[in-house]
Amino acid sequence: MCRSIKTLRPPALPEEATEEDIRAAALQYVRKVSGFRAPAAHNRAVFERAVDEIAAATARLLDGIEVRGAGAAESRAHGR
């Protein structure tokens, strides 16, 4: 299923992004950049590696973001 990439941090999401949310966004990004919905067999390994690396970078980004302002109290309530 093709999904649009959505904002993965509170307050845009009511809860923290799950690993599934992060991986879905990474997959959508790799699909968009590569121009392929699914890779050919000879490109599968590089495609999956890119998804894994982008998902890991996204998780690090979300872990490091500090939300300030109106949504900060709500974000702290969710553990951020």
Side-chain angles (χ1 to χ4, degrees):
M1 177 170 100
C2 189
R3 296 175 11 178
S4 294
I5 297 173
K6 60 184 178 181
T7 301
L8 296 179
R9 65 163 182 82
L13 282 183
E15 302 174 351
E16 289 186 25
T18 64
E19 287 183 33
E20 183 179 316
D21 293 330
I22 292 170
R23 185 155 181 86
L27 177 60
Q28 184 62 23
Y29 177 83
V30 171
R31 286 175 173 169
K32 185 65 149 179
V33 170
S34 71
F36 296 109
R37 185 189 179 294
H42 62 277
N43 287 326
R44 188 167 292 124
V46 70
F47 192 93
E48 288 298 318
R49 186 170 55 246
V51 172
D52 292 342
E53 290 173 2
I54 292 165
T58 301
R60 287 191 304 272
L61 172 67
L62 293 173
D63 285 342
I65 287 178
E66 180 180 334
V67 179
R68 296 183 179 182
E74 183 178 330
S75 181
R76 281 192 297 274
H78 292 286
R80 292 267 183 213

